[in-house]
Amino acid sequence: MPCDEMSAYWAAQRIKGLSLYGAVMDGVKRSLGLNKKPNAGKAVKTLLETFRYPRLGPGMMWEAARDKIEATGSKVYMAHALKQLASDGKGGWRMTASEPDGDIVVKAKDAISSALRPSILFALIDMGPAILERTPHSVIATAHHRGERGLHDVIKAFLSSDDAARQIVMKHESDYLLICTDIGESALYAREAPDGLMAHLRAGDTPAWLEEVPLDDTPESFRVWRVKD
């Protein structure tokens, strides 16, 4: 792939954590034979010398996982697209999936999803349009004057104390709270209110009513918390 066709996000994931000093020192160690074990102690993907990869591609891992699951007596539905995951009103879950011959409904006591269900996201104002365009989620506010109440609440929450912010976030029945520390709006809130919610989140001081959601292959500046009941 030509370099000018690579997105900045894609490139950032491959060179994350790499520095000129680190690259030079790695080259020196290799030339002196100081790298005793392949990849030993290396966290930067770019400096990996070898790695294991399925001979016929990553699909081999999914097929092996399917075989192990079916060996326990469970069923794996292939070539199905998830349409809905919802509570059945009885403490369990109901999943609707589509296939070429129509829809199927699967009921279960527990459900594990690798993606957020359509949720209400309490996010920075400047993040709102992208979330609405690219995801099925809802937001509290975008930078549009007709959403005055939402704008007011988002700004007030991030400038307020943790307890006061919780009341605002809960008032909107928000499922998750999102920030991006690279966005100027985030830095502005932290600067204007050093003891406010945004300043605490940027400093890694998470209030008890939020639970951070681990994210893979996303910029470190992008952070998500689940709002506890």
Side-chain angles (χ1 to χ4, degrees), residues 100-121:
D101 297 330
D103 293 349
I104 64 167
V105 176
V106 178
K107 296 183 179 180
K109 178 182 177 182
D110 300 299
I112 300 174
S113 175
S114 60
L116 295 180
R117 60 180 173 80
S119 305
I120 299 176
L121 309 183

Side-chain angles (χ1 to χ4, degrees), residues 55-175:
R55 182 170 55 86
L56 299 179
M60 295 180 68
M61 294 188 290
W62 322 145
E63 293 172 354
R66 176 202 61 199
D67 295 342
K68 289 186 176 182
I69 293 173
E70 292 182 339
T72 66
S74 301
K75 183 174 178 59
V76 177
Y77 295 91
M78 306 291 288
H80 286 69
L82 177 65
K83 293 184 64 176
Q84 184 184 52
L85 178 63
S87 170
D88 63 3
K90 301 177 181 179
W93 296 90
R94 182 180 67 253
M95 181 194 74
T96 304
S98 61
E99 61 175 341
D101 297 330
D103 293 349
I104 64 167
V105 176
V106 178
K107 296 183 179 180
K109 178 182 177 182
D110 300 299
I112 300 174
S113 175
S114 60
L116 295 180
R117 60 180 173 80
S119 305
I120 299 176
L121 309 183
F122 201 97
L124 293 172
I125 294 169
D126 288 343
M127 296 175 69
I131 292 173
L132 294 177
E133 178 187 8
R134 302 176 186 178
T135 78
H137 307 301
S138 301
V139 297
I140 308 303
T142 59
H144 298 87
H145 69 280
R146 292 190 178 183
E148 179 183 354
R149 175 51 53 188
L151 290 168
H152 173 272
D153 284 353
V154 169
I155 295 172
K156 184 176 180 180
F158 284 124
L159 293 175
S160 297
S161 67
D162 294 349
D163 291 339
R166 178 181 182 277
Q167 295 181 14
I168 299 173
V169 173
M170 296 297 289
K171 179 183 73 173
H172 288 278
E173 300 182 345
S174 305
D175 298 297

Side-chain angles (χ1 to χ4, degrees), residues 190-203:
R191 184 170 62 252
E192 293 296 320
D195 293 324
L197 175 63
M198 178 59 74
H200 289 168
L201 294 176
R202 286 172 60 94

Side-chain angles (χ1 to χ4, degrees), residues 38-64:
N39 308 332
K42 293 189 177 69
V44 181
K45 297 177 182 178
T46 306
L47 300 181
L48 294 179
E49 299 175 33
T50 61
F51 61 92
R52 296 180 179 275
Y53 194 81
R55 182 170 55 86
L56 299 179
M60 295 180 68
M61 294 188 290
W62 322 145
E63 293 172 354

